[in-house]
Each structure stands twice: as structure tokens, then as C-alpha cells.
Amino acid sequence: MWFDPACPWAWMTSRWVEEVEKVRDVDVRWHVMSLAVLNEGRDLPEEYRRMLDEAWGPARVITAAAHLHGEKHIKALYDAMGARRHPGGRSDTAAIIAESLAEVGLPPELADVAGSDEWDAQLRASHEQAIALVGDEVGTPVVAFNGTAFFGPVLTPIPRGEDAGRLFDGLALITSVPGFYELKRSRTEGPRFD
């Protein structure tokens, strides 16, 4: 699964993936992608552009943590940051990063990479892995099943228990059809973090 830590829809999908892990025998690997990278050079509303500028920091910190301290920190750090930002409703990115690093036992100086491009090559490489699988007309999250990837699922509320498993089964079936490309409908509500 590829996620941008700033995206509430990726957060919803990640919580669904956690539910799937409880009811299906799956091996999930977590990867960072970036809406800021995806939208570079695009003409965007100013408010969305500001959000993308702010989104660099968490993605950079998770990327650096994975490379310096191991991939096991990707999910742990994402969980800590995401819980504060999404269901927690916070937007104080610097504090979220600092508290999350402390929670997962990583050095506080990792927060310094949030404002640096030092790890951008690695972040872009992770992002490009997702884009290579799905194309550039998508966003985050991206999930891959046995080498076939799709944008999404974008969902709310989070399916729990066997409902999560049945959704997974359906998506796994869809990915087994070589010519299947897209399902979509308009969203009528925002993410429900309950």
C-alpha cells in the first residue's frame, strides 16, 4: 500500500487494510507516495497548493526514518502521525512530527528533514513505484494485489471484520481480470474516522 500521510482518504484505506490483516492471510508492505510530487507543475487552487506544501514534511520524515532506521518504521510512524492528523483533527505539522518520532522511539533530529530536500530522491522513487503500477491519473492511496495495482479504494466508513475481508476478496478478484481498469462514483460524504 502506498499512502501520503497528509491524505485522509489514504488514512481510511490504511485502517481498512489493518482490518483485512485480521481476517485474511495477507502480507502488507507500506510505502510512501506524495501528492506534492504528483501535482508538481499543475495549476491548482491556492488552498490545495498550501496543503501540498505542508504535506512534504511528514512524507520526508517517514522516508528518512525508513532508510536510516528500517522499513518497520514506515507503518509505525504513519500510524502515529495519522492518528494525530486525521481522527485527531490536528494540523500543527511540526508538533505532530516531533510527538510521533518520540512515540515510536526515533531520534528527534529526524524532524529536521521535514524542511529539507535531502531525502526527496528516495521519496520520489517510492512514489514512482506506485505511479509505474497505476499511471499518473490517480492519487493516493494506491494498493497492489500480486503485482496489479489500483488507486483506492476510497471508502468511508471503514469496513470492519468480515466486511473488510469480503471487500478485499472482491478487489483481489477484480485485479485478477487483466482488462479491468476502473470503477468510480462521486463521493457524497467526507471521511468518517469513527
Side-chain angles (χ1 to χ4, degrees):
M1 178 176 163
W2 283 262
F3 62 89
D4 182 312
C7 178
W9 294 107
W11 178 257
M12 298 297 289
T13 302
S14 73
R15 301 309 92 176
W16 164 70
V17 169
E18 284 185 337
E19 289 292 313
V20 171
E21 288 179 300
K22 296 174 188 175
V23 296
R24 297 294 185 270
D25 184 21
V26 295
D27 179 25
V28 181
R29 294 197 56 220
W30 299 88
H31 309 274
V32 180
M33 64 182 297
S34 171
L35 287 171
V37 171
L38 183 70
N39 287 288
E40 283 179 323
R42 295 184 182 175
D43 186 28
L44 301 168
E46 185 57 34
E47 182 177 331
Y48 191 66
R49 174 63 54 206
R50 279 193 302 273
M51 186 280 299
L52 292 177
D53 290 345
E54 188 72 16
W56 278 103
R60 286 170 167 161
V61 170
I62 293 173
T63 300
H67 285 273
L68 294 170
H69 301 282
E71 288 187 8
K72 67 182 179 187
H73 292 290
I74 295 172
K75 175 79 165 45
L77 202 46
Y78 177 46
D79 289 348
M81 288 182 187
R84 287 167 171 81
R85 179 171 304 278
H86 301 301
R90 292 178 49 193
S91 60
D92 51 338
T93 302
I96 289 170
I97 290 171
E99 292 168 18
S100 298
L101 289 168
E103 179 181 320
V104 302
L106 289 170
E109 59 270 11
L110 266 176
D112 296 341
V113 305
S116 163
D117 63 2
E118 179 181 358
W119 293 94
D120 285 7
Q122 292 84 350
L123 172 57
R124 288 174 187 279
S126 182
H127 175 87
E128 288 304 320
Q129 288 174 338
I131 297 305
L133 291 170
V134 296
D136 61 2
E137 297 176 15
V138 300
T140 179
V142 169
V143 295
F145 299 81
N146 300 318
T148 301
F150 288 94
F151 162 64
V154 174
L155 45 81
T156 197
I158 301 160
R160 304 284 183 190
E162 192 52 32
D163 288 341
R166 282 193 300 275
L167 176 59
F168 174 83
D169 296 341
L171 291 173
L173 176 62
I174 286 171
T175 65
S176 71
V177 177
F180 183 84
Y181 293 101
E182 185 174 351
L183 269 178
K184 186 165 178 145
R185 67 179 176 165
S186 296
R187 291 187 296 245
T188 58
E189 63 179 307
R192 287 191 274 155
F193 299 118
D194 54 341

